[in-house]
């Protein structure tokens, strides 16, 4: 009798737990078709944008899938991985595991499209979940229904990524017990979600210990296939932090089951991949993928992705961000309408008066805005080691999450103990117009002292200068604040070099939230202006270190440059037009020259080495209206990079000097 009563109580408790679980599940508020009434075209908009993006940049599939994973594992699927940090509080995207993420610009573009269709309705967290599904589908993977209704979180802390994201050096049991189980995921979810490594790439630095120092004695991981090990060593030299390697050699752009075959062959990059062979269930699952079709994996992957997408979601009345990046929300058109109503007219009048007499200043002023916005969004790679269950930084390790993009730091003068941005190599030899900016600032200060930022002046001057020489105009939302830090070293680290290839250009632009379309359009700014011979002389005299000329340069163009413009290899004085024949006119000449292999820099020539960027350039040349419209939109987007607003930074009285 007692045992029956005990059993009854147990069943009652179990029933109550089931009821509680059911109510909690319902309380999450996620459901398929959540936006059917509030924003019926939401999923179609995401799908359409992803088709366009994947056509232009298929290598983004892996990072965008990983972005959803990294978002969900850190404080839940709440879009917090998208938030920008501040000088005092680095965000998740600054954390070590997230330094490899790309595609933030793509998410921002999709968010902008959705905001136009349905303002304030679709969350950034749901966008990440839908994008992850769509990139899998577009790489020939499975489709699954994505329950939506997530809300966006406000907490985003870099250190949370170290505590919550499984490192690639962990084994199966460490990942299961330390990371997956606490999130409500099981061993099968590890096996299935690891299959996402069938698409994408990884930096050598993420697995180089397996190649060169596995046990701390300069040895290689004995579990690696020897042939694969030798191939990896050819690609990844010791201390290589830039080279990318395919995670699924041979089919890293196709979602299939070949990753599992590589695990069985011991040809995978991470210790965490190889550890699948330690688990009997995992090993059996891998064997089934070799012997059959990928249908089991495809079905399971969708199930595990939905399960992962439920981790600690926010619903109901939680926060919904109007902009995924959040920090630029305070920029708006006519910001100074009440505080300094004449500000934009003063700037415009000064430009109209002086630029027609000095049109060659337009290009340096445009470049000044570009160089200002690209610095400082420093993402230093730093190391950490485990002590118990916590990551610990070695002494003197640099962590830098301070984000200051368009903040006029390029205008600050160097001091006796600090070399500033304007004196760095990328700026010292190419930027002009600092006195011009000072003159504009003086006029604005005379009208409204301490109101208009130098950062806003740079943005407005760039727009008005281009318009004055016949180029397009664009909206310049204002409200930026001025930064108080300027370091020459950060200009070197963040401004794309003229020697960059297409991969490096994409990485540098993506870090700033700009995509491959923005890369092509903003490069079009080279249709005006000049460059020192020293910026490209290696292409003429010592391209491969053997005294040769870059074979990708048109021969006639190269000969003309050597005979008439840059007559010796160390010429650091002579100037050359970036768009020969029309370097003072904002037109399509730059793109036409690229197609003739007459781009001045390697970074220019790189744009026609990629099929997608080349196709886009041909499209621009055919439709003369597309470039000015696209350039204007990309400039407005660039002007929002990591701005300081509200009470951040300061309003400098003198643009060259930080306020006392």
């Amino acid at each position: 009798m007692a045992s029956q009563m005990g059993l009854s109580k147990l069943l009652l408790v179990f029933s109550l737990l089931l009821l509680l679980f059911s109510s909690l599940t319902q309380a999450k508020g996620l459901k398929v078709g959540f936006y059917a009434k509030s924003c019926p075209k939401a999923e179609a908009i995401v799908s359409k944008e992803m088709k366009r993006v994947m056509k232009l940049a298929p290598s983004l599939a892996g990072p965008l899938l990983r972005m959803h994973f990294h978002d969900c594992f850190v404080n839940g699927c709440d879009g917090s991985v998208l938030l920008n940090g501040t000088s005092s509080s680095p965000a998740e995207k600054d954390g070590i595991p997230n330094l490899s993420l790309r595609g933030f610009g793509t998410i921002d573009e999709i968010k902008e499209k959705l905001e136009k269709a349905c303002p304030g309705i679709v969350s950034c967290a749901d966008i990440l979940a839908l994008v992850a599904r769509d990139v899998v589908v577009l790489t020939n993977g499975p489709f699954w229904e994505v329950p939506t209704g997530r809300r966006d979180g406000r907490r985003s802390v870099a250190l949370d990524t170290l505590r919550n994201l499984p490192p690639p050096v962990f084994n199966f049991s460490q990942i299961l017990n330390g990371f997956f189980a606490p999130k409500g995921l099981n061993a099968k979810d590890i096996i299935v979600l690891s299959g996402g490594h069938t698409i994408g790439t990884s930096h050598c630095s993420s697995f180089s210990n397996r190649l060169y120092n596995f046990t701390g004695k300069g040895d290689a991981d004995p579990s690696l296939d020897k042939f694969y090990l030798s191939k990896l060593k050819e690609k990844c030299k010791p201390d290589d932090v830039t080279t990318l390697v395919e995670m699924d050699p041979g089919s890293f752009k196709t979602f299939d089951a070949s990753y599992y075959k590589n695990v069985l062959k011991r040809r995978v990059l991470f210790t965490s991949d190889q550890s699948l062979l330690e688990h009997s269930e995992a090993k059996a699952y891998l064997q089934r993928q070799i012997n059959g079709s990928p249908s089991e994996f495809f079905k399971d992957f969708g199930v595990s992705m939905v399960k992962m997408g439920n981790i600690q979601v926010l619903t109901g009345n939680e926060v919904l961000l109007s902009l995924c990046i959040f920090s630029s929300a305070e920029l708006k058109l006519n910001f100074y309408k009440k505080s300094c109503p004449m500000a934009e007219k003063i700037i415009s009048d000064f430009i109209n008066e002086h630029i027609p007499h000095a049109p060659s200043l337009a290009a340096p002023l445009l470049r000044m805005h570009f160089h200002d916005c690209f610095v400082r969004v420093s993402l230093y790679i730093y190391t950490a080691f485990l002590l118990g269950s916590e990551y610990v930084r070695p002494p003197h390790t640099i962590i830098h999450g301070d984000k200051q993009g368009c903040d006029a730091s390029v205008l600050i003068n160097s001091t006796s103990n600090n070399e500033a941005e304007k004196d760095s190599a990328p700026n010292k030899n190419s930027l002009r117009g600092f006195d011009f900016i000072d003159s504009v600032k003086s006029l604005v200060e005379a009208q409204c002292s301490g109101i208009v930022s130098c950062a806003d002046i740079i943005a407005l001057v760039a727009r008005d200068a281009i318009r004055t020489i016949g180029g397009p105009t664009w909206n310049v939302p204002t409200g930026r604040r001025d930064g108080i830090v300027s370091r020459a070293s950060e200009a070197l680290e963040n401004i794309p070099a003229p020697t960059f290839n297409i991969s490096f250009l994409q990485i540098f632009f993506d870090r700033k939230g700009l995509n491959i379309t923005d890369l092509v359009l903003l490069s079009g700014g080279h249709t005006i202006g000049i460059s020192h011979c020293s910026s490209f002389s290696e292409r003429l005299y010592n391209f491969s270190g053997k005294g040769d000329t870059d074979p990708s340069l048109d021969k006639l163009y190269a000969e003309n440059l050597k005979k008439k413009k840059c007559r010796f290899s160390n010429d650091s004085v002579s100037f050359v037009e970036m768009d020969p024949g029309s370097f003072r006119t904002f037109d399509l000449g730059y793109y036409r020259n690229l197609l003739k292999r007459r781009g001045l820099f390697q970074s220019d020539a790189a744009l026609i080495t990629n099929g997608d960027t080349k196709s886009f350039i041909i499209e621009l040349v055919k439709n003369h209206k597309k470039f000015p419209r696209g350039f204007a939109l990309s400039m407005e987007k660039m002007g929002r990079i990591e701005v300081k607003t509200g009470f951040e930074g300061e309003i400098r009285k003198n643009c060259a000097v930080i306020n006392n």
Side-chain angles (χ1 to χ4, degrees), residues 73-92:
F73 264 66
V74 182
N75 301 318
C77 311
D78 64 350
S80 54
V81 72
L82 303 171
L83 287 168
N84 290 334
T86 65
S87 57
S88 59
S89 180
E92 287 175 31

Side-chain angles (χ1 to χ4, degrees), residues 508-571:
F508 270 59
F509 270 66
D510 188 75
R511 280 191 341 198
K512 313 310 185 209
L514 302 173
N515 59 29
I516 198 168
T517 302
D518 300 312
L519 167 60
V520 175
L521 291 167
L522 293 174
S523 295
H526 288 177
T527 187
I528 55 171
I530 56 179
S531 172
H532 282 96
C533 291
S534 54
S535 295
F536 58 89
S537 61
E538 276 192 1
R539 296 189 76 197
L540 304 179
Y541 294 103
N542 198 29
F543 182 64
S544 66
K546 299 176 181 178
D548 54 340
T549 301
D550 183 352
S552 71
L553 263 174
D554 173 73
K555 287 184 179 180
L556 288 176
Y557 183 52
E559 287 172 8
N560 183 62
L561 286 173
K562 288 199 280 190
K563 288 180 180 179
K564 298 182 180 181
K565 305 288 184 179
C566 307
R567 295 177 180 173
F568 47 94
S569 60
N570 59 346
D571 184 347

Side-chain angles (χ1 to χ4, degrees), residues 56-67:
L56 286 171
S59 64
L60 274 181
L64 287 169
L65 175 61
R66 195 179 309 128
M67 191 182 292

Side-chain angles (χ1 to χ4, degrees), residues 288-359:
R288 291 200 298 274
Q289 304 318 306
I290 286 184
N291 299 327
S293 73
S295 57
E296 180 189 9
F297 167 48
F298 279 17
K299 179 184 175 183
D300 291 341
F301 191 80
V303 171
S304 287
M305 285 296 290
V306 170
K307 192 175 175 182
M308 185 191 79
N310 284 332
I311 295 174
Q312 294 175 264
V313 294
L314 303 173
T315 56
N317 296 319
E318 299 287 351
V319 177
L320 179 67
L321 298 182
S322 60
L323 288 173
C324 297
I325 57 174
F326 187 67
S327 65
S328 63
E330 295 176 55
L331 293 188
K332 63 180 181 180
L333 293 173
N334 300 312
F335 180 85
Y336 301 107
K337 186 176 181 179
K338 293 182 179 179
S339 59
C340 191
M342 295 296 290
E344 294 196 27
K345 187 176 187 304
I346 290 170
I347 295 169
S348 179
D349 287 348
F350 190 81
I351 293 287
N352 291 337
E353 180 183 352
H354 291 91
I355 291 298
H357 302 294

Side-chain angles (χ1 to χ4, degrees), residues 418-475:
N418 179 62
E419 186 178 33
E421 288 174 36
K422 66 165 60 174
D423 292 317
S424 68
N427 293 328
K428 192 172 185 178
N429 297 329
S430 64
L431 295 189
R432 293 187 297 125
F434 294 106
D435 292 343
F436 191 91
I437 298 293
D438 290 339
S439 297
V440 173
K441 176 66 172 175
S442 296
L443 291 172
V444 174
E445 281 294 302
Q447 181 74 23
C448 320
S449 180
I451 300 295
V452 182
S453 70
C454 302
D456 278 340
I457 289 173
I458 291 178
L460 291 164
V461 163
R463 189 268 312 273
D464 292 348
I466 295 302
R467 185 201 63 223
T468 302
I469 63 167
T473 188
W474 58 88
N475 290 326

Side-chain angles (χ1 to χ4, degrees), residues 173-387:
S173 61
Q174 287 174 315
I175 293 170
L176 176 61
N177 298 323
F179 298 90
F180 271 59
K183 303 289 192 283
L185 302 175
N186 58 29
K188 185 173 181 179
D189 296 314
I190 296 179
I191 301 163
V192 172
L193 293 175
S194 294
H197 287 176
T198 187
I199 54 174
T201 57
S202 172
H203 284 93
C204 292
S205 53
S206 295
F207 57 88
S208 62
N209 68 304
R210 296 189 75 199
L211 309 182
Y212 297 106
N213 199 29
F214 186 62
T215 64
K217 299 177 181 179
D219 54 340
D221 182 351
S223 71
L224 267 170
D225 173 75
K226 289 183 179 180
F227 176 77
Y228 185 53
L229 172 64
S230 65
K231 289 294 181 184
L232 287 178
K233 284 189 171 183
E234 287 176 12
K235 293 181 179 180
C236 303
K237 302 306 177 186
D239 302 319
D240 184 344
V241 295
T242 57
T243 303
L244 292 169
V245 178
E246 301 170 6
M247 289 197 285
D248 184 4
S251 66
F252 76 107
K253 292 182 181 179
T254 305
F255 199 96
D256 55 27
S258 61
Y259 161 79
Y260 294 121
K261 296 175 184 177
N262 283 320
V263 175
L264 288 168
K265 292 177 182 177
R266 299 183 293 117
R267 295 182 177 182
V268 281
L269 296 182
F270 309 129
T271 303
S272 56
D273 293 322
Q274 197 63 49
S275 73
L276 292 178
L277 293 178
E278 299 171 5
H279 194 273
S280 58
E281 182 185 350
K283 194 169 183 179
Y285 193 92
L286 269 58
Q287 291 287 358
R288 291 200 298 274
Q289 304 318 306
I290 286 184
N291 299 327
S293 73
S295 57
E296 180 189 9
F297 167 48
F298 279 17
K299 179 184 175 183
D300 291 341
F301 191 80
V303 171
S304 287
M305 285 296 290
V306 170
K307 192 175 175 182
M308 185 191 79
N310 284 332
I311 295 174
Q312 294 175 264
V313 294
L314 303 173
T315 56
N317 296 319
E318 299 287 351
V319 177
L320 179 67
L321 298 182
S322 60
L323 288 173
C324 297
I325 57 174
F326 187 67
S327 65
S328 63
E330 295 176 55
L331 293 188
K332 63 180 181 180
L333 293 173
N334 300 312
F335 180 85
Y336 301 107
K337 186 176 181 179
K338 293 182 179 179
S339 59
C340 191
M342 295 296 290
E344 294 196 27
K345 187 176 187 304
I346 290 170
I347 295 169
S348 179
D349 287 348
F350 190 81
I351 293 287
N352 291 337
E353 180 183 352
H354 291 91
I355 291 298
H357 302 294
S360 63
L361 254 186
L365 291 170
L366 174 64
R367 195 176 304 129
M368 186 184 293
H369 183 32
F370 181 95
H371 284 207
D372 181 48
C373 289
F374 263 64
V375 184
R376 340 163 32 220
V377 191
S378 301
L379 298 175
Y380 290 94
I381 296 175
Y382 55 97
T383 57
F385 61 90
L386 269 176
L387 183 62

